[in-house]
Amino acid sequence: MTDSEIHSAILDMGRRARAASRELNKLTSAQKNDILRAMADEIVAREQTILSANAEDLKNAEANGLSKAMIDRLMLDSKRLASIANAVREVADLPD
Protein backbone atom coordinates (compact mmCIF):
# COMPACT_ATOMS: atom_id res chain seq x y z
CA MET A 1 0.00 0.00 0.00
CA THR A 2 1.18 3.48 -0.76
CA ASP A 3 1.14 6.24 1.84
CA SER A 4 -1.81 7.80 0.01
CA GLU A 5 -3.75 4.53 0.09
CA ILE A 6 -3.00 4.10 3.79
CA HIS A 7 -4.14 7.65 4.47
CA SER A 8 -7.38 7.06 2.54
CA ALA A 9 -8.00 3.76 4.32
CA ILE A 10 -7.52 5.38 7.74
CA LEU A 11 -9.88 8.24 6.86
CA ASP A 12 -12.46 5.73 5.65
CA MET A 13 -12.16 3.72 8.88
CA GLY A 14 -12.68 6.92 10.85
CA ARG A 15 -15.81 7.80 8.87
CA ARG A 16 -17.23 4.33 9.32
CA ALA A 17 -16.42 4.36 13.05
CA ARG A 18 -18.20 7.69 13.45
CA ALA A 19 -21.27 6.37 11.60
CA ALA A 20 -21.24 3.21 13.70
CA SER A 21 -20.99 5.23 16.92
CA ARG A 22 -24.12 7.12 15.95
CA GLU A 23 -25.97 3.84 15.48
CA LEU A 24 -24.65 2.44 18.76
CA ASN A 25 -25.93 5.51 20.59
CA LYS A 26 -29.44 4.46 19.60
CA LEU A 27 -29.15 1.10 21.38
CA THR A 28 -30.20 0.42 24.93
CA SER A 29 -27.60 -0.50 27.53
CA ALA A 30 -28.86 -4.08 27.50
CA GLN A 31 -28.48 -4.29 23.72
CA LYS A 32 -24.93 -2.89 23.85
CA ASN A 33 -23.99 -5.29 26.63
CA ASP A 34 -25.44 -8.23 24.70
CA ILE A 35 -23.34 -7.24 21.69
CA LEU A 36 -20.19 -6.96 23.81
CA ARG A 37 -20.79 -10.37 25.37
CA ALA A 38 -21.41 -11.87 21.92
CA MET A 39 -18.12 -10.34 20.75
CA ALA A 40 -16.30 -11.93 23.67
CA ASP A 41 -17.91 -15.29 22.92
CA GLU A 42 -16.83 -15.03 19.26
CA ILE A 43 -13.25 -14.26 20.25
CA VAL A 44 -13.21 -17.50 22.23
CA ALA A 45 -15.06 -19.49 19.56
CA ARG A 46 -12.77 -18.32 16.75
CA GLU A 47 -9.55 -18.70 18.68
CA GLN A 48 -7.81 -20.91 16.11
CA THR A 49 -8.78 -18.66 13.20
CA ILE A 50 -7.54 -15.59 15.07
CA LEU A 51 -4.29 -17.30 16.07
CA SER A 52 -3.66 -18.44 12.49
CA ALA A 53 -4.20 -14.92 11.16
CA ASN A 54 -1.99 -13.54 13.91
CA ALA A 55 0.81 -15.94 12.95
CA GLU A 56 0.67 -14.53 9.43
CA ASP A 57 0.69 -10.98 10.80
CA LEU A 58 3.73 -11.79 12.93
CA LYS A 59 5.54 -13.23 9.92
CA ASN A 60 4.81 -10.06 7.94
CA ALA A 61 5.84 -7.85 10.86
CA GLU A 62 9.17 -9.60 11.10
CA ALA A 63 9.69 -9.42 7.33
CA ASN A 64 8.98 -5.68 7.49
CA GLY A 65 11.55 -5.13 10.20
CA LEU A 66 9.35 -4.41 13.20
CA SER A 67 11.25 -4.44 16.47
CA LYS A 68 11.11 -7.46 18.76
CA ALA A 69 9.19 -5.35 21.30
CA MET A 70 6.52 -4.44 18.74
CA ILE A 71 6.27 -8.03 17.55
CA ASP A 72 5.80 -9.16 21.15
CA ARG A 73 2.93 -6.68 21.53
CA LEU A 74 1.31 -8.07 18.38
CA MET A 75 1.71 -11.72 19.40
CA LEU A 76 -1.43 -13.48 20.52
CA ASP A 77 -1.77 -16.81 22.26
CA SER A 78 -4.64 -18.58 23.98
CA LYS A 79 -3.97 -16.80 27.26
CA ARG A 80 -3.91 -13.34 25.65
CA LEU A 81 -7.09 -14.04 23.69
CA ALA A 82 -8.85 -15.17 26.85
CA SER A 83 -7.73 -11.96 28.55
CA ILE A 84 -9.10 -9.90 25.66
CA ALA A 85 -12.43 -11.73 25.81
CA ASN A 86 -12.58 -11.21 29.58
CA ALA A 87 -11.79 -7.51 29.18
CA VAL A 88 -14.66 -7.16 26.70
CA ARG A 89 -16.97 -8.86 29.20
CA GLU A 90 -15.74 -6.44 31.90
CA VAL A 91 -16.68 -3.51 29.67
CA ALA A 92 -20.16 -5.01 29.31
CA ASP A 93 -20.45 -5.05 33.09
CA LEU A 94 -19.62 -1.34 33.41
CA PRO A 95 -22.42 1.17 33.78
CA ASP A 96 -23.22 3.28 30.75
Side-chain angles (χ1 to χ4, degrees):
M1 266 186 146
T2 66
D3 286 347
S4 177
E5 291 170 328
I6 292 169
H7 181 74
S8 292
I10 290 171
L11 287 176
D12 183 55
M13 282 188 263
R15 279 189 219 91
R16 289 184 293 138
R18 180 173 282 175
S21 74
R22 289 184 186 121
E23 293 302 312
L24 287 172
N25 282 333
K26 297 175 186 176
L27 299 177
T28 66
S29 292
Q31 289 171 314
K32 287 185 248 182
N33 293 338
D34 287 346
I35 290 168
L36 288 167
R37 288 185 185 99
M39 289 170 59
D41 291 344
E42 285 299 310
I43 290 169
V44 172
R46 297 174 188 254
E47 177 182 333
Q48 289 309 311
T49 301
I50 294 168
L51 293 178
S52 293
N54 182 248
E56 187 68 26
D57 291 341
L58 292 172
K59 200 167 31 171
N60 291 332
E62 192 171 323
N64 287 311
L66 257 64
S67 70
K68 297 278 186 201
M70 286 300 293
I71 291 173
D72 181 63
R73 289 185 190 125
L74 290 174
M75 187 185 72
L76 295 173
D77 57 21
S78 294
K79 184 177 177 181
R80 284 186 176 181
L81 275 181
S83 292
I84 292 167
N86 287 334
V88 173
R89 287 187 185 100
E90 288 173 7
V91 171
D93 292 337
L94 294 172
D96 261 0

PDB file of all heavy atoms in Angstrom, residues 69-84:
ATOM      1  N   ALA A  69      10.179  -5.836  20.330  1.00  0.00           N
ATOM      2  CA  ALA A  69       9.189  -5.351  21.302  1.00  0.00           C
ATOM      3  C   ALA A  69       7.819  -5.181  20.647  1.00  0.00           C
ATOM      4  O   ALA A  69       6.795  -5.551  21.221  1.00  0.00           O
ATOM      5  CB  ALA A  69       9.653  -4.036  21.915  1.00  0.00           C
ATOM      6  N   MET A  70       7.790  -4.623  19.439  1.00  0.00           N
ATOM      7  CA  MET A  70       6.516  -4.440  18.741  1.00  0.00           C
ATOM      8  C   MET A  70       5.910  -5.787  18.353  1.00  0.00           C
ATOM      9  O   MET A  70       4.706  -5.986  18.466  1.00  0.00           O
ATOM     10  CB  MET A  70       6.703  -3.570  17.491  1.00  0.00           C
ATOM     11  CG  MET A  70       6.909  -2.104  17.802  1.00  0.00           C
ATOM     12  SD  MET A  70       5.518  -1.367  18.692  1.00  0.00           S
ATOM     13  CE  MET A  70       4.241  -1.436  17.466  1.00  0.00           C
ATOM     14  N   ILE A  71       6.753  -6.698  17.921  1.00  0.00           N
ATOM     15  CA  ILE A  71       6.270  -8.035  17.551  1.00  0.00           C
ATOM     16  C   ILE A  71       5.683  -8.723  18.773  1.00  0.00           C
ATOM     17  O   ILE A  71       4.630  -9.359  18.689  1.00  0.00           O
ATOM     18  CB  ILE A  71       7.388  -8.856  16.880  1.00  0.00           C
ATOM     19  CG1 ILE A  71       7.697  -8.259  15.498  1.00  0.00           C
ATOM     20  CG2 ILE A  71       7.006 -10.327  16.782  1.00  0.00           C
ATOM     21  CD1 ILE A  71       8.894  -8.858  14.800  1.00  0.00           C
ATOM     22  N   ASP A  72       6.335  -8.569  19.924  1.00  0.00           N
ATOM     23  CA  ASP A  72       5.805  -9.157  21.155  1.00  0.00           C
ATOM     24  C   ASP A  72       4.429  -8.586  21.480  1.00  0.00           C
ATOM     25  O   ASP A  72       3.537  -9.318  21.915  1.00  0.00           O
ATOM     26  CB  ASP A  72       6.752  -8.933  22.323  1.00  0.00           C
ATOM     27  CG  ASP A  72       6.217  -9.553  23.603  1.00  0.00           C
ATOM     28  OD1 ASP A  72       6.077 -10.800  23.634  1.00  0.00           O
ATOM     29  OD2 ASP A  72       5.915  -8.804  24.552  1.00  0.00           O
ATOM     30  N   ARG A  73       4.240  -7.299  21.264  1.00  0.00           N
ATOM     31  CA  ARG A  73       2.934  -6.680  21.534  1.00  0.00           C
ATOM     32  C   ARG A  73       1.856  -7.202  20.592  1.00  0.00           C
ATOM     33  O   ARG A  73       0.694  -7.268  20.951  1.00  0.00           O
ATOM     34  CB  ARG A  73       3.033  -5.162  21.416  1.00  0.00           C
ATOM     35  CG  ARG A  73       3.806  -4.545  22.547  1.00  0.00           C
ATOM     36  CD  ARG A  73       3.794  -3.037  22.462  1.00  0.00           C
ATOM     37  NE  ARG A  73       4.719  -2.495  23.416  1.00  0.00           N
ATOM     38  CZ  ARG A  73       5.712  -1.662  23.123  1.00  0.00           C
ATOM     39  NH1 ARG A  73       5.878  -1.252  21.887  1.00  0.00           N
ATOM     40  NH2 ARG A  73       6.507  -1.226  24.062  1.00  0.00           N
ATOM     41  N   LEU A  74       2.261  -7.553  19.370  1.00  0.00           N
ATOM     42  CA  LEU A  74       1.313  -8.073  18.384  1.00  0.00           C
ATOM     43  C   LEU A  74       0.974  -9.542  18.613  1.00  0.00           C
ATOM     44  O   LEU A  74      -0.081 -10.009  18.188  1.00  0.00           O
ATOM     45  CB  LEU A  74       1.888  -7.926  16.972  1.00  0.00           C
ATOM     46  CG  LEU A  74       2.014  -6.528  16.401  1.00  0.00           C
ATOM     47  CD1 LEU A  74       2.747  -6.581  15.064  1.00  0.00           C
ATOM     48  CD2 LEU A  74       0.651  -5.888  16.234  1.00  0.00           C
ATOM     49  N   MET A  75       1.868 -10.270  19.265  1.00  0.00           N
ATOM     50  CA  MET A  75       1.713 -11.718  19.402  1.00  0.00           C
ATOM     51  C   MET A  75       0.532 -12.091  20.294  1.00  0.00           C
ATOM     52  O   MET A  75       0.374 -11.596  21.404  1.00  0.00           O
ATOM     53  CB  MET A  75       2.975 -12.340  19.986  1.00  0.00           C
ATOM     54  CG  MET A  75       2.920 -13.855  19.994  1.00  0.00           C
ATOM     55  SD  MET A  75       4.347 -14.584  20.816  1.00  0.00           S
ATOM     56  CE  MET A  75       3.988 -14.178  22.511  1.00  0.00           C
ATOM     57  N   LEU A  76      -0.306 -12.945  19.756  1.00  0.00           N
ATOM     58  CA  LEU A  76      -1.435 -13.477  20.518  1.00  0.00           C
ATOM     59  C   LEU A  76      -1.195 -14.951  20.805  1.00  0.00           C
ATOM     60  O   LEU A  76      -0.571 -15.660  20.019  1.00  0.00           O
ATOM     61  CB  LEU A  76      -2.731 -13.322  19.725  1.00  0.00           C
ATOM     62  CG  LEU A  76      -3.197 -11.897  19.450  1.00  0.00           C
ATOM     63  CD1 LEU A  76      -4.403 -11.906  18.513  1.00  0.00           C
ATOM     64  CD2 LEU A  76      -3.518 -11.165  20.732  1.00  0.00           C
ATOM     65  N   ASP A  77      -1.724 -15.400  21.929  1.00  0.00           N
ATOM     66  CA  ASP A  77      -1.767 -16.813  22.256  1.00  0.00           C
ATOM     67  C   ASP A  77      -3.103 -17.046  22.965  1.00  0.00           C
ATOM     68  O   ASP A  77      -3.891 -16.110  23.142  1.00  0.00           O
ATOM     69  CB  ASP A  77      -0.568 -17.253  23.096  1.00  0.00           C
ATOM     70  CG  ASP A  77      -0.411 -16.467  24.394  1.00  0.00           C
ATOM     71  OD1 ASP A  77      -1.395 -15.864  24.870  1.00  0.00           O
ATOM     72  OD2 ASP A  77       0.694 -16.462  24.951  1.00  0.00           O
ATOM     73  N   SER A  78      -3.358 -18.257  23.349  1.00  0.00           N
ATOM     74  CA  SER A  78      -4.644 -18.576  23.981  1.00  0.00           C
ATOM     75  C   SER A  78      -4.879 -17.748  25.235  1.00  0.00           C
ATOM     76  O   SER A  78      -5.993 -17.260  25.467  1.00  0.00           O
ATOM     77  CB  SER A  78      -4.709 -20.066  24.328  1.00  0.00           C
ATOM     78  OG  SER A  78      -4.714 -20.833  23.153  1.00  0.00           O
ATOM     79  N   LYS A  79      -3.834 -17.564  26.026  1.00  0.00           N
ATOM     80  CA  LYS A  79      -3.968 -16.795  27.262  1.00  0.00           C
ATOM     81  C   LYS A  79      -4.308 -15.330  26.977  1.00  0.00           C
ATOM     82  O   LYS A  79      -5.185 -14.756  27.612  1.00  0.00           O
ATOM     83  CB  LYS A  79      -2.668 -16.891  28.068  1.00  0.00           C
ATOM     84  CG  LYS A  79      -2.726 -16.211  29.410  1.00  0.00           C
ATOM     85  CD  LYS A  79      -1.434 -16.397  30.182  1.00  0.00           C
ATOM     86  CE  LYS A  79      -1.490 -15.630  31.497  1.00  0.00           C
ATOM     87  NZ  LYS A  79      -0.256 -15.773  32.257  1.00  0.00           N
ATOM     88  N   ARG A  80      -3.626 -14.736  25.996  1.00  0.00           N
ATOM     89  CA  ARG A  80      -3.910 -13.337  25.651  1.00  0.00           C
ATOM     90  C   ARG A  80      -5.315 -13.181  25.077  1.00  0.00           C
ATOM     91  O   ARG A  80      -6.002 -12.212  25.387  1.00  0.00           O
ATOM     92  CB  ARG A  80      -2.867 -12.805  24.674  1.00  0.00           C
ATOM     93  CG  ARG A  80      -1.542 -12.485  25.338  1.00  0.00           C
ATOM     94  CD  ARG A  80      -0.572 -11.838  24.386  1.00  0.00           C
ATOM     95  NE  ARG A  80       0.657 -11.462  25.087  1.00  0.00           N
ATOM     96  CZ  ARG A  80       1.680 -10.866  24.508  1.00  0.00           C
ATOM     97  NH1 ARG A  80       1.642 -10.564  23.223  1.00  0.00           N
ATOM     98  NH2 ARG A  80       2.754 -10.564  25.213  1.00  0.00           N
ATOM     99  N   LEU A  81      -5.726 -14.115  24.247  1.00  0.00           N
ATOM    100  CA  LEU A  81      -7.087 -14.041  23.691  1.00  0.00           C
ATOM    101  C   LEU A  81      -8.133 -14.157  24.791  1.00  0.00           C
ATOM    102  O   LEU A  81      -9.139 -13.441  24.778  1.00  0.00           O
ATOM    103  CB  LEU A  81      -7.307 -15.131  22.642  1.00  0.00           C
ATOM    104  CG  LEU A  81      -6.843 -14.801  21.236  1.00  0.00           C
ATOM    105  CD1 LEU A  81      -7.148 -15.967  20.300  1.00  0.00           C
ATOM    106  CD2 LEU A  81      -7.463 -13.531  20.714  1.00  0.00           C
ATOM    107  N   ALA A  82      -7.908 -15.040  25.732  1.00  0.00           N
ATOM    108  CA  ALA A  82      -8.845 -15.175  26.854  1.00  0.00           C
ATOM    109  C   ALA A  82      -8.902 -13.881  27.655  1.00  0.00           C
ATOM    110  O   ALA A  82      -9.987 -13.444  28.069  1.00  0.00           O
ATOM    111  CB  ALA A  82      -8.437 -16.338  27.752  1.00  0.00           C
ATOM    112  N   SER A  83      -7.757 -13.235  27.830  1.00  0.00           N
ATOM    113  CA  SER A  83      -7.726 -11.956  28.547  1.00  0.00           C
ATOM    114  C   SER A  83      -8.496 -10.880  27.790  1.00  0.00           C
ATOM    115  O   SER A  83      -9.204 -10.068  28.397  1.00  0.00           O
ATOM    116  CB  SER A  83      -6.281 -11.495  28.756  1.00  0.00           C
ATOM    117  OG  SER A  83      -5.622 -12.338  29.652  1.00  0.00           O
ATOM    118  N   ILE A  84      -8.356 -10.871  26.468  1.00  0.00           N
ATOM    119  CA  ILE A  84      -9.098  -9.905  25.657  1.00  0.00           C
ATOM    120  C   ILE A  84     -10.594 -10.150  25.792  1.00  0.00           C
ATOM    121  O   ILE A  84     -11.377  -9.214  25.988  1.00  0.00           O
ATOM    122  CB  ILE A  84      -8.646  -9.978  24.180  1.00  0.00           C
ATOM    123  CG1 ILE A  84      -7.205  -9.471  24.048  1.00  0.00           C
ATOM    124  CG2 ILE A  84      -9.590  -9.194  23.275  1.00  0.00           C
ATOM    125  CD1 ILE A  84      -6.554  -9.779  22.707  1.00  0.00           C
TER     126      ILE A  84
END
